[in-house]
Amino acid sequence: EDKVVQSPLSLVVHEGDTVTLNCSYEVTNFRSLLWYKQEKKAPTFLFMLTSSGIEKKSGRLSSILDKKELFSILNITATQTGDSAVYLCAVLDYKLSFGAGTTVTVRA
Amino acid sequence: DGGITQSPKYLFRKEGQNVTLSCEQNLNHDAMYWYRQDPGQGLRLIYYSQIVNDFQKGDIAEGYSVSREKKESFPLTVTSAQKNPTAFYLCASSIEGTGEQETQYFGPGTRLLVL
C-alpha cells in the first residue's frame, strides 16, 4: 500500500523564523511529488517535483526531492503570519496519495 | 473566471437520506476526482474519472456513487449506506497528460454534517 508520511505533525514558530517540513514516501510507480498549502478550504498548489536534486523556488518557499532516499523537504524562510496553514504532501503514481499534513502556526 | 466550483458550501444530512454534492469545472480538464478529508488525516480518494462516462473507485468508495455525463460535471452522491459521512469533501480536476499537466487543482469544498 502506498504510504506518505509527513513530519512534524505541527509546529509553532515566530515571524522571521525558517521552517523545514519533511515528507517521506513509499509508492510503487513514482511519477511526481506535489506540495499544497491549505488554509481552511481548498488546497492550493505550490510545487510539483519529478527530478531529484533540482530545487524549485517560489518567493520564500522552496522544495527539493531526493528519489534515492524517497523524501522531499519544503522550506519557508522569513516566515510571516500569512504562512500559517496546513501543508500537504502528495505523491502521484496511478493516483494521488496524501500525507496527513503539517500544521504550521506563525506567531507575530 | 476559470475554476472549480462546489456546492453547497455546507450540507446537512438526516439519517437514511441520500445527498448529492455538486462539482463543476470550466477548465476543460479531462480528469476529475473526489476526496474526503477528516480532521488530522490526509485526503482520501473516493472516486475518480478520467473521461466522460467512465469512472473508477478510489480507496474509500463504499457508500458513495458518482456519475460523469458531462466533461464539466462530476457529482458525488453520499448514500445512506455511508455510515460516517461527516467530513470535508473536496473535488479536484486535472488535464490528462504527463508531468506538470497532472497537477490536480481543487474546488473550495463542501462540509457535510449529519443531523
Side-chain angles (χ1 to χ4, degrees), chain A residues 19-31:
Chain A
V19 162
T20 299
L21 310 181
N22 303 290
C23 176
S24 64
Y25 63 90
E26 293 177 33
V27 298
T28 308
N29 294 300
F30 177 90
R31 279 151 62 173

Side-chain angles (χ1 to χ4, degrees), chain A residues 54-71:
Chain A
I54 299 174
E55 186 182 48
K56 290 215 172 179
K57 292 195 74 167
S58 176
R60 296 176 293 102
L61 276 65
S62 64
S63 185
I64 197 161
L65 173 68
D66 186 328
K67 289 168 74 174
K68 183 179 175 187
E69 300 297 330
L70 308 183
F71 78 91

Side-chain angles (χ1 to χ4, degrees), chain A residues 4-6 8-10 38 86-88 98-103, chain B residues 36-44 86-88 111:
Chain A
V4 181
V5 178
Q6 291 186 246
L9 288 180
S10 65
Q38 186 175 24
V86 176
Y87 291 84
L88 297 169
F98 282 82
T102 294
T103 301
Chain B
R36 169 181 172 141
Q37 187 175 33
D38 294 279
Q41 296 189 39
L43 281 65
R44 292 182 290 166
T86 297
F88 188 48
R111 194 163 297 278

Side-chain angles (χ1 to χ4, degrees), chain B residues 9-84:
Chain B
K9 188 174 176 181
Y10 295 96
L11 185 57
F12 299 92
R13 193 192 93 161
K14 295 180 183 176
E15 293 287 341
Q17 188 180 37
N18 291 357
V19 292
T20 298
L21 284 61
S22 168
C23 177
E24 304 276 331
Q25 54 96 3
N26 61 4
L27 300 168
N28 200 32
H29 284 176
D30 304 294
M32 297 186 75
Y33 312 82
W34 274 106
Y35 293 91
R36 169 181 172 141
Q37 187 175 33
D38 294 279
Q41 296 189 39
L43 281 65
R44 292 182 290 166
L45 182 65
I46 305 172
Y47 269 98
Y48 65 102
S49 168
Q50 294 172 300
I51 195 169
V52 174
N53 292 323
D54 186 50
F55 48 83
Q56 308 295 329
K57 292 183 179 180
D59 299 320
I60 53 165
E62 188 175 347
Y64 300 98
S65 66
V66 293
S67 62
R68 186 87 187 276
E69 297 176 3
K70 299 187 298 182
K71 188 175 185 178
E72 305 80 30
S73 178
F74 191 40
L76 173 75
T77 296
V78 183
T79 74
S80 57
Q82 173 48 245
K83 297 307 177 190
N84 184 23

Side-chain angles (χ1 to χ4, degrees), chain A residues 83-98:
Chain A
D83 295 325
S84 295
V86 176
Y87 291 84
L88 297 169
C89 171
V91 176
L92 182 67
D93 52 5
Y94 75 93
K95 65 177 178 69
L96 206 54
S97 297
F98 282 82

